Amino acid sequence: MNWLKKTISKVTTWYNYCSQGVWLDTRNTFKVRIVKVLNLSIRSFFDRDLQTKSAALTFSTVLAIVPGFAMLFAIGRGFGFQNLLEDQLFINFPAQKKLITFALQFVDSYLNQASQGIFVGVGIIFLLYTLISLLSDIETAFNQVWDIKRDRSLYQKITDYISICLLVPILMICSSGVSIFMSSTFQSTAHISFLTPLVNFALEATPFILTFLAFSISFCLIPNTRVNFKYAAAAGAICAVMFQILQMLFFSGQIYVSKYNAIYGSFSFLPLMLIWLQFSWIILLFGCVLTYSFQNIFVFNFLDNPVPPSVNLQRKVTLIIMAGISQRFHSGEAPLTREEISQKYDLPIRMVNRICSQLKEAGLVNMVVKTQDSMAVAPAIDTDEITVGTVFSKVDSLGDSDFIPNFKTMYASTINQIDGWFEKCYDELKEIPLSKVELPSDIEKDFKAV
């Protein structure tokens, strides 16, 4: 029984590490990163309520299906490739042939009405509104995953979203044209006919490649922040596999759901379509979470610490960060990004982000461009003028100190007494320059941006 106890002990230890202990591990190794990515992705899937978001996007998609197809086929008719577009849709979405056929009937009616009288302007406005609304909902969901509080401006939304609506059908048309051209050329040319199996394999892989590109570009461009494409591509590949599996399951599973015909009649495809849409949105949102996890796993170090840091600890960390920034600038060294500060001084990146924001608001630091994709933190004033007292007095004065009615009147004498005590402390600390703050030299690390 000893071996059983040892096995249970090892499994328990490993589980505790994977679920909680990994966030106390600041090592930047491959195994630690993988465990953190899996941990964070699973947490986010449940904590960020992705199922509710996917249900909301499913509703928006149902409203936008007909206008979206109308935009697609209006451009396709202009190029004379309407039939190619239909074939491409059936190839890429084999599990939803009934839905596509049903929607195309509405599209024909929609386009016929949209070309007559006053409905031209109203139809175009409604078409653009539904598509822009759907894309705006997607962006909002992505921004919530990335903890971004500010969406694109209305002008950016209109220009970016209309560009997407115009480019997607053109790319689908080009894809269909290239596929047909390659297939016919290789089959009709005798001396290169031996390459036909390879070409057929490439053509069969086209839906996966297009899905991979669509996911990767979405994860990279839709959030209103900078996203490293290698992380978006990694999540895109995983989601493309999941989406293809979903397609196969629904395509093969439709033959086993004939009993729905007895309940829903000719509308039997609707519940299946809604389920398929929701699962598709869940995959997309999960991919967004995965991208965020790949790029920001060290943001969540010390994630499970149930007790917030004390004011005393925050003061110490603030002084360490400010001293490090000031001393590097004074010695002529390049400024560090917030991720590099976290790595160098072995501090939680969330605390570093919060303190750097406070220091910037206090006018002590500025964000400067270090590379095309990163911003570094540099002093905003002469480093010879920054003292320990300067840092504490400016940081302590942040925020609103006059929101309690009659507070200054009722406690005037008490406030003056407390202010006097603090002024004495600040005056004494203003005699200590930041260069006197000793930082250990044995924590130097090779900087490797997360």
Side-chain angles (χ1 to χ4, degrees):
M1 295 298 291
N2 288 334
W3 66 269
L4 181 59
K5 290 182 180 179
K6 289 181 180 180
T7 302
I8 294 174
S9 176
K10 288 182 179 179
V11 171
T12 303
T13 302
W14 175 245
Y15 173 78
N16 290 334
Y17 173 79
C18 292
S19 60
Q20 297 178 348
V22 69
W23 299 112
L24 302 176
D25 191 343
T26 58
R27 292 177 298 167
N28 190 9
T29 62
F30 178 76
K31 291 181 179 179
V32 173
R33 292 177 71 95
I34 290 296
V35 174
K36 286 184 176 181
V37 167
L38 292 174
N39 183 307
L40 183 58
S41 298
I42 294 171
R43 281 172 178 263
S44 299
F45 184 84
F46 294 104
D47 294 344
R48 294 178 186 267
D49 202 12
L50 295 188
Q51 289 185 329
T52 301
K53 290 184 175 66
S54 65
L57 289 172
T58 299
F59 175 76
S60 300
T61 306
V62 171
L63 292 179
I65 281 179
V66 173
F69 278 174
M71 171 74 79
L72 192 70
F73 281 91
I75 297 174
R77 285 180 179 179
F79 284 93
F81 289 122
Q82 180 178 352
N83 293 332
L84 284 178
L85 278 175
E86 292 183 11
D87 294 339
Q88 192 72 8
L89 286 171
F90 287 129
I91 291 172
N92 287 321
F93 303 98
Q96 298 301 326
K97 288 188 177 181
K98 287 186 177 181
L99 166 64
I100 295 172
T101 303
F102 192 68
L104 292 180
Q105 296 174 2
F106 285 104
V107 168
D108 290 334
S109 301
Y110 188 96
L111 292 177
N112 290 334
Q113 292 295 326
S115 61
Q116 299 176 9
I118 193 173
F119 193 79
V120 174
V122 177
I124 292 175
I125 292 173
F126 178 73
L127 183 149
L128 292 177
Y129 169 77
T130 52
L131 294 179
I132 290 175
S133 177
L134 174 61
L135 292 171
S136 179
D137 290 342
I138 298 172
E139 182 192 347
T140 300
F142 275 38
N143 287 344
Q144 289 173 353
V145 169
W146 280 83
D147 290 324
I148 299 168
K149 307 301 180 184
R150 185 170 59 89
D151 292 342
R152 287 178 173 85
S153 64
L154 180 61
Y155 173 77
Q156 286 179 310
K157 285 184 177 182
I158 293 174
T159 55
D160 293 352
Y161 295 169
I162 290 178
S163 299
I164 292 173
C165 293
L166 293 176
L167 283 175
V168 168
I170 293 175
L171 289 175
M172 290 188 68
I173 292 168
C174 293
S175 173
S176 299
V178 169
S179 298
I180 293 175
F181 173 77
M182 288 177 59
S183 179
S184 59
T185 300
F186 277 84
Q187 289 178 359
S188 60
T189 307
H191 64 279
I192 57 174
S193 59
F194 67 93
L195 292 176
T196 300
L198 181 62
V199 173
N200 289 335
F201 174 78
L203 294 177
E204 290 178 0
T206 298
F208 174 82
I209 295 172
L210 292 176
T211 305
F212 161 72
L213 291 175
F215 278 125
S216 301
I217 293 172
S218 298
F219 300 149
C220 188
L221 298 183
I222 292 180
N224 192 26
T225 187
R226 295 191 180 193
V227 180
N228 193 320
F229 184 75
K230 66 180 180 181
Y231 298 130
I238 294 172
C239 290
V241 173
M242 294 172 64
F243 186 76
Q244 293 301 318
I245 293 173
L246 178 68
Q247 291 283 73
M248 288 188 292
L249 289 175
F250 268 80
F251 182 69
S252 59
Q254 283 180 347
I255 61 176
Y256 299 106
V257 293
S258 57
K259 61 181 180 181
Y260 277 104
N261 292 331
I263 302 174
Y264 294 100
S266 60
F267 291 95
S268 60
F269 72 93
L270 282 177
L272 294 175
M273 181 265 289
L274 293 174
I275 295 172
W276 176 80
L277 281 176
Q278 181 152 359
F279 273 108
S280 299
W281 283 122
I282 287 176
I283 290 173
L284 183 74
L285 293 176
F286 177 75
C288 180
V289 168
L290 204 57
T291 307
Y292 178 71
S293 302
F294 281 136
Q295 185 163 322
N296 297 282
I297 52 175
F298 290 100
V299 172
F300 294 89
N301 280 346
F302 311 100
L303 180 70
D304 289 310
N305 184 18
V307 182
S310 66
V311 175
N312 187 29
L313 177 62
Q314 292 186 69
R315 283 177 174 273
K316 293 174 182 176
V317 175
T318 299
L319 196 59
I320 289 171
I321 292 174
M322 191 65 219
I325 294 170
S326 177
Q327 290 176 18
R328 286 185 67 86
F329 184 85
H330 193 74
S331 61
E333 297 179 84
L336 304 178
T337 65
R338 286 169 292 186
E339 290 80 8
E340 289 172 339
I341 292 173
S342 172
Q343 293 263 344
K344 177 179 174 64
Y345 299 110
D346 220 10
L347 299 170
I349 184 64
R350 286 186 297 173
M351 182 177 283
V352 172
N353 286 337
R354 183 172 63 251
I355 290 174
C356 286
S357 297
Q358 291 176 343
L359 294 173
K360 184 177 185 299
E361 187 179 352
L364 293 170
V365 302
N366 277 328
M367 305 304 296
V368 297
V369 177
K370 184 172 185 179
T371 64
Q372 185 177 1
D373 298 320
S374 64
M375 302 290 289
V377 188
I381 58 179
D382 188 351
T383 54
D384 292 330
E385 299 178 3
I386 307 177
T387 65
V388 175
T390 304
V391 175
F392 285 152
S393 63
K394 286 184 175 292
V395 172
D396 288 348
S397 64
L398 292 176
D400 186 2
S401 59
D402 194 27
F403 67 92
I404 303 177
N406 303 320
F407 180 77
K408 288 186 176 180
T409 304
M410 292 179 61
Y411 300 98
S413 60
T414 307
I415 291 173
N416 290 333
Q417 186 181 37
I418 295 172
D419 286 343
W421 292 337
F422 276 102
E423 284 300 327
K424 289 181 181 179
C425 294
Y426 293 145
D427 289 340
E428 291 185 13
L429 292 174
K430 284 180 180 178
E431 301 298 323
I432 306 174
L434 282 183
S435 58
K436 294 292 185 180
V437 179
E438 297 182 2
L439 298 177
S441 58
D442 59 345
I443 58 175
E444 292 284 347
K445 298 178 180 179
D446 294 327
F447 297 132
K448 194 172 184 180
V450 178

